[in-house]
Amino acid sequence: MPKMKVAQVPKPGADFEIVEREIPQPGPGAVRIRVQACGICHSDVITKEGLFPGISYPRVPGHEVAGEIDEVGAGVKEWKKGERVGVGWHGGQDGTCLASRRGDFVNCANVKICGISYDGGYQEYMVAPVEALARMPESLDAAEAAPLMCAGVTTFNSLRHSGAVPSDLVAIQGIGGLGHLGVQFAKRFGYRVAAVGRGSGNAALAKRLGADAYIDSAATDPAAELQKLGGASVILATAPSGKAMSALVRGLGENGTMVVVGASMDPIEVAPNQLLFGKKGVKGWAGGIPTDSEDTLRFAEMTGVRAMIEKYPLEKVNQAYARMMSGKAEFRVVLTM
C-alpha cells in the first residue's frame, strides 16, 4: 500500500514524531484530501497536551487545512476529485441534538473538531466528512489560505455579525495572529479602524494593514483614547489577556459591544454600571461553520486580505510548533507538504 508522512502526537505532552502510515481510504460520506498546507494554531495545544478529555492517541493535529480532494467515499455526489477545499475547527455535527436541529451547528452538543475528534492536517493526506468541507477559490495560495480557516473565519465572521455598520469606529485589540487579520477585514468592511497594541512597535504595521489610528496601551489609557475618537461601536478583543480586555470596556460607545475571540483563562472584570449606562455588552464568538469559511475565503480573494505567514516543511513540525508557541512568529506558522 502507498505510504504517506504524518506528524503525530504519540501521547499527551510528547514531542511530535514523523512516521509513515498507509494512505487512508475515505469511508461513506467522506473524502480524502491531499493536504498542501496546514496552519499551526495555538489551539493545537489542546491535542499536543491532551487538554480535552477523550482524545485518542496517537493523534494528528491541525484544523487550518488547505488542499484538494484526492478521492471521494461512497455516496458522495456533491464533491469531486480535484476540487480545492479547506477544513477548519468545525469538523462536523451530529444532526440530531437540539442545536443541530435548529441549524446552530457551531453549538452542536457532539460537535466534531478536526485534529481532535479525528486526525487533522499535519499529514500529507487526511480524511474528512463532507460536512466539514469548505470550497476554496482557485486563485488563493494554499499556504496563505490555510490560516483563514481558523484565524480568518473567526475575525471575519465575528466582525460581520457584530452589529457595526460602515463608518462606525471599530477597535481591534492586539496585532497578532488574529488581530492582523481583524484590522484588514475591518478596513475592507468600511469601518473606521483603531488598532490597540502594547508598545509602539506595531504602529507602522497596523497603519499598513489599514488602521486609521494606533493606540499604544502601554503609553496611554486605551479606553480614554477610544472615547476621544467618539467611543467604539465594537471592540474586537483578540489578544488573550482578560486584564487587557478589562481595560478597554470603558472605551465602548453607546450600544457598543466588546466581542471576545482571544481565548484566555484569566477573567474579564467589568463593573455593572459600565454596561448599564449606554447599554453596552460583552460577548464571545467562536469561529464558524464551513459555509462561513467559504465566505471568508471569497471575501479575502476579492479584497486582498492575506495572512502574514512563516512557512516550515512538515519534517520541521517541532521547530514550527515551538515558533508558534514562542509568540514571536509574524504572524501565522504554516506547514507545507
Side-chain angles (χ1 to χ4, degrees):
M1 293 291 290
K3 302 286 187 179
M4 65 175 183
K5 290 181 180 177
V6 171
Q8 67 179 22
V9 181
K11 61 182 181 180
D15 289 339
F16 292 97
E17 56 184 21
I18 303 293
V19 300
E20 282 194 342
R21 293 186 187 176
E22 291 183 358
I23 295 177
Q25 297 300 314
V31 303
R32 184 173 68 211
I33 300 168
R34 182 175 68 83
V35 179
Q36 296 168 326
C38 184
I40 297 182
C41 179
H42 192 274
S43 298
D44 292 340
V45 72
I46 293 169
T47 303
K48 179 73 161 54
E49 304 301 329
L51 302 183
F52 276 9
I55 301 177
S56 298
Y57 290 87
R59 177 60 82 219
V60 179
H63 58 270
E64 293 184 347
V65 184
E68 66 178 28
I69 296 175
D70 179 68
E71 192 60 73
V72 300
V76 176
K77 293 181 172 60
E78 66 273 30
W79 300 91
K80 306 298 182 185
K81 186 174 180 177
E83 280 191 275
R84 298 193 77 204
V85 293
V87 181
W89 175 269
H90 187 88
Q93 60 276 344
D94 62 13
T96 59
C97 73
L98 183 58
S100 290
R101 288 167 52 216
R102 286 175 169 165
D104 185 12
F105 299 138
V106 166
N107 289 315
C108 171
N110 299 296
V111 66
K112 297 176 184 176
I113 303 171
C114 181
I116 295 177
S117 306
Y118 54 84
D119 286 338
Y122 290 22
Q123 54 184 333
E124 292 179 317
Y125 294 87
M126 66 168 285
V127 171
V130 293
E131 60 264 28
L133 302 179
R135 285 187 167 87
M136 183 171 293
E138 291 292 331
S139 67
L140 289 181
D141 174 77
E144 290 182 334
L148 298 177
M149 297 304 302
C150 182
V153 67
T154 297
T155 49
F156 172 88
N157 213 25
S158 58
L159 284 170
R160 70 169 173 169
H161 290 291
S162 68
V165 298
S167 82
D168 278 354
L169 177 65
V170 171
I172 310 297
Q173 175 249 1
I175 312 300
L178 289 165
H180 88 286
L181 287 166
V183 170
Q184 293 179 71
F185 283 127
K187 186 63 176 178
R188 275 30 170 229
F189 285 168
Y191 305 146
R192 285 191 298 138
V193 183
V196 182
R198 187 166 182 80
S200 60
N202 280 327
L205 172 63
K207 293 291 186 67
R208 194 164 73 245
L209 292 172
D212 299 291
Y214 181 79
I215 297 172
D216 179 357
S217 63
T220 64
D221 177 347
E225 294 302 309
L226 287 175
Q227 288 298 338
K228 289 178 184 178
L229 295 173
S233 294
V234 170
I235 297 173
L236 185 67
T238 75
S241 168
K243 181 178 179 181
M245 295 176 191
S246 300
L248 280 175
V249 174
R250 289 183 295 103
L252 290 169
E254 289 77 9
N255 301 300
T257 303
M258 174 177 282
V259 181
V260 178
V261 297
S264 172
M265 295 302 292
D266 58 321
I268 300 173
E269 297 184 357
V270 183
N273 283 350
Q274 289 179 291
L275 303 180
L276 289 172
F277 296 102
K279 293 172 58 179
K280 301 165 187 177
V282 178
K283 71 176 182 179
W285 190 274
I289 60 176
T291 48
D292 296 317
S293 295
E294 289 183 0
D295 293 345
T296 304
L297 293 166
R298 281 197 304 268
F299 189 84
E301 179 192 35
M302 290 168 53
T303 61
V305 172
R306 295 293 185 273
M308 295 174 63
I309 61 173
E310 296 182 5
K311 295 190 287 187
Y312 289 79
L314 180 65
E315 293 80 3
K316 293 188 176 180
V317 61
N318 282 297
Q319 180 181 342
Y321 183 84
R323 177 67 171 168
M324 180 278 295
M325 291 296 291
S326 74
K328 296 178 181 178
E330 294 185 348
F331 284 100
R332 307 296 295 189
V333 176
V334 179
L335 296 173
T336 56
M337 316 303 165

